[in-house]
């Protein structure tokens, strides 16, 4: 851009020893107005509306003009003190500097990439923190110029860069630019065109602001930017997408400097072209001294070419289980859990790879043997050993798959009674045989139940109590003791665990003990009528609420059955009766709860209201 110059080189020529001098900070702070600075700080005289360095200004000048210098120094000091007391930034700068900086801020924030990709990088946006940092540096320098009674920088960018360079040197010498960031900020400001409406790229690389980046081939830059924008629009992790793009630019920059073809010109070309690209990449990583991932395959897919990564084709039943497990784990992780999400995906890839190997070698799927008999599980282990000997050592997480399916982990297996183990496995296999290979959730339910049953039998075994099978279909006393042990087991576990003793009982050919309630006929009419009325108010999709109504009705039948078997009066005959009748019903409910070992919800109030409505209508 016109008017650009190398400020650092100018300063070094003007002050060859400026950075090595020792000087009182107060002398440096006051710049050319401090006569004690001698020939170390240039003096100026106005020339053509700007401040130019004169040879005479380099010599010490004291005498009759000293009072004027001291007065100027005092004014300068007061102006700067006023600026530090919180005066608005607009009043501390020359108007043209203020206007120029504000135009620059607006241009940077509105910067857009052109359709051909020739301007900007990515979407052209600059992080707000970067913008604010540079604006702060520029405003600081502009305020200093105004406080020191020096001309604006905007008036001298193009027509008087030399005097501006002197001011920059003074600014640095005054200690105001301790981190030497002004030159970088000014280089960005110079990108603003003279009319102040658009930015112009300066130097190699299309980046607008920030650290120096790589200068890739233009065709590579367009594809790389297009891919990163596509990924960001899909809410992919921004840090990963940008890191990949940076590595791709770095490789393209190396190819350009080495006089080798671009990535895009060979990425989807002939076998010979693609091979030469791979060879160049190996030379690039050797030159870098480390492996740099550039994700050729993602670029290839972005261009519409087929992925060259070796696709795995697992068994369909394995694919469903693997994907479901991975999705379940990923759903529990936050978007910033990058490393954990990567572990989950890598594990899923290994599992698909093993299943693909099994299918190609004519061996059974993972799912068909993972929770099967001991012989099936052993054959799966043998196949995995063969697989790792061919493909190398890797983890496939059998136990996590097994637990996902509801089977007991084999890392800490339970030790049920032998007769219970045979019964539980037989029941589980019978249930699984009724399900299709795609019934993942139902298979999971069966295996979960079998795991709970083994867990209960293991507890019985460890505590020296009889097995499930030895008491499940025995005498009333034996079945009662089994129920007592189950209550003790759930208490010890601290939570209710479903073992479905009745389904095991039916598997053994015994009659189900569920739904054997025989409530009073008048209670049946009242309970069913109340339940049907409640259900009529619910939609077909109100599954949980309908289940609650049905469970409540079951509790009432169970209570009525208990009343009848013990020769006590029905619920309906006492629900809206005398105080004595209602008290006796309440007392019977307490006895019933004590006998059951838990309090079952009855909702007498809803029954009472329903009965009152029925009687009123009658």
């Amino acid at each position: 851009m016109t008017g650009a110059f190398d400020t650092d080189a100018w300063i070094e020529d003007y002050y060859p020893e400026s950075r090595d001098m020792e000087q009182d900070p107060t002398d440096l702070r006051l710049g050319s107005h401090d006569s004690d600075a001698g020939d170390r700080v240039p003096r100026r005289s106005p020339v053509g509306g700007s401040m130019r360095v004169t040879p005479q200004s380099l010599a010490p000048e004291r005498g009759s003009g000293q009072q004027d210098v001291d007065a100027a120094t005092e004014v300068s000091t007061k102006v700067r003190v006023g600026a530090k007391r919180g005066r608005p930034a607009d009043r501390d700068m020359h108007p043209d500097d203020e206007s120029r900086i504000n135009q620059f801020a607006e241009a940077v924030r509105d910067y857009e990439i052109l359709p051909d990709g020739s301007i900007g990088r990515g979407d052209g946006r600059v992080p707000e923190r970067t913008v604010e940092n540079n604006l702060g540096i520029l405003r600081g320098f502009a305020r200093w110029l105004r406080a020191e009674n020096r001309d604006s920088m905007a008036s001298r960018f193009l027509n008087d860069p030399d005097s501006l360079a002197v001011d920059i040197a003074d600014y640095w010498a005054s200690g105001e630019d301790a981190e030497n960031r002004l030159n970088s900020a000014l280089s960005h400001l110079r990108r603003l065109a003279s009319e102040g409406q658009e930015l112009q790229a300066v130097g190699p690389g299309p980046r607008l602001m920030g650290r120096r980046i790589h200068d890739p081939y233009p065709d590579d830059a367009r594809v790389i930017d297009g891919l990163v924008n596509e990924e960001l629009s899909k809410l992919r992790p921004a840090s990963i997408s940008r890191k990949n793009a940076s590595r791709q630019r770095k490789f393209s920059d190396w190819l350009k400097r080495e006089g080798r073809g671009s990535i895009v010109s060979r990425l989807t070309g002939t076998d010979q072209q693609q091979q030469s690209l791979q060879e160049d990449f190996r030379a690039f990583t050797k030159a870098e001294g480390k492996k740099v991932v550039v994700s050729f395959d993602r670029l290839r897919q972005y261009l519409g070419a087929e992925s060259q990564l070796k696709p795995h084709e697992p068994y369909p039943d394995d694919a469903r289980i693997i994907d479901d497990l991975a999705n379940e784990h990923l759903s529990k992780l936050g978007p910033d859990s990058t490393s954990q999400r990567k572990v989950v995906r890598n594990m899923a890839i290994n599992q698909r790879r093993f299943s693909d190997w099994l299918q190609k070698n004519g061996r059974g799927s993972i799912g068909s043997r993972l929770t099967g008999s001991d012989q099936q599980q052993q054959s799966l282990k043998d196949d995995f050993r063969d697989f790792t000997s061919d493909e190398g050592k890797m983890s496939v997480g059998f136990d996590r798959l097994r637990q996902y399916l509801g089977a007991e982990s084999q890392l800490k297996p339970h030790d049920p009674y032998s007769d219970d183990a045979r019964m539980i496995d037989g029941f589980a296999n019978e249930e699984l045989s009724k399900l299709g290979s795609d019934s993942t959730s139902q298979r999971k339910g069966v295996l979960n139940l079998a795991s709970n049953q083994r867990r209960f039998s293991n507890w019985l075994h460890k505590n020296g109590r009889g097995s499930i099978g030895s008491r499940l279909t025995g005498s009333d006393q034996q079945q009662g003791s089994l129920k007592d042990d189950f209550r003790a087991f759930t208490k010890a576990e601290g939570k209710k665990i479903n073992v479905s003793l009745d389904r095991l009982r039916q598997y053994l050919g015994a009659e189900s003990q569920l739904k054997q309630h025989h409530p009073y006929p008048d209670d049946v009419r009242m309970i069913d009528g109340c339940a049907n009325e409640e259900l009529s108010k619910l939609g077909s999709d109100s599954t949980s609420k309908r289940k609650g109504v049905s469970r409540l009705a079951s509790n009432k039948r169970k209570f009525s059955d208990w009343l009848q078997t013990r020769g006590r009066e029905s619920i309906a005959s006492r629900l809206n009766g005398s105080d004595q009748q209602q008290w006796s019903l309440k007392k019977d409910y307490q006895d019933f709860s004590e006998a059951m070992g838990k309090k079952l919800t009855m909702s007498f109030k809803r029954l009472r209201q329903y009965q009152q409505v029925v009687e009123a209508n009658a």
Side-chain angles (χ1 to χ4, degrees), residues 438-493:
D438 58 342
S439 305
T440 307
S441 61
Q442 292 171 293
R443 295 175 72 86
K444 187 175 180 180
V446 171
L447 294 168
N448 270 335
L449 184 60
S451 176
N452 291 344
Q453 291 163 346
R454 289 190 189 93
R455 190 174 179 179
F456 178 39
S457 181
N458 177 72
W459 183 87
L460 293 171
H461 198 184
K462 286 182 177 178
N463 287 276
R465 308 188 186 191
S467 68
I468 300 173
S470 65
R471 297 180 285 170
L472 192 61
T473 58
S475 64
D476 291 343
Q477 185 178 356
Q478 288 177 312
Q479 293 187 41
S481 70
L482 182 61
K483 289 180 181 178
D484 292 339
D485 284 345
F486 178 66
R487 280 193 288 271
F489 164 68
T490 54
K491 187 176 181 181
E493 293 292 317

Side-chain angles (χ1 to χ4, degrees), residues 330-374:
L330 291 173
S331 67
K332 298 174 183 177
L333 300 175
D336 56 344
S337 305
T338 310
S339 60
Q340 291 172 292
R341 297 176 79 86
K342 187 175 181 181
V343 169
V344 172
R345 291 192 178 101
N346 281 342
M347 181 66 76
I349 289 172
N350 290 346
Q351 291 162 347
R352 289 190 188 93
R353 188 174 177 183
F354 178 43
S355 182
D356 174 270
W357 183 88
L358 291 172
Q359 185 164 215
K360 287 179 178 176
N361 287 276
R363 309 191 188 188
S365 68
I366 300 172
S368 66
R369 297 181 285 170
L370 191 63
T371 59
S373 64
D374 292 343

Side-chain angles (χ1 to χ4, degrees), residues 256-284:
K256 191 176 181 182
R257 285 188 281 110
E258 295 291 324
R260 309 188 187 193
S262 68
I263 300 173
V264 172
S265 66
R266 297 180 284 171
L267 191 63
T268 58
T270 65
D271 292 343
Q272 186 177 357
Q273 288 176 313
Q274 294 187 41
Q275 182 62 37
S276 71
L277 182 62
Q278 291 292 338
E279 290 171 356
D280 284 346
F281 179 65
R282 281 193 288 271
F284 165 68

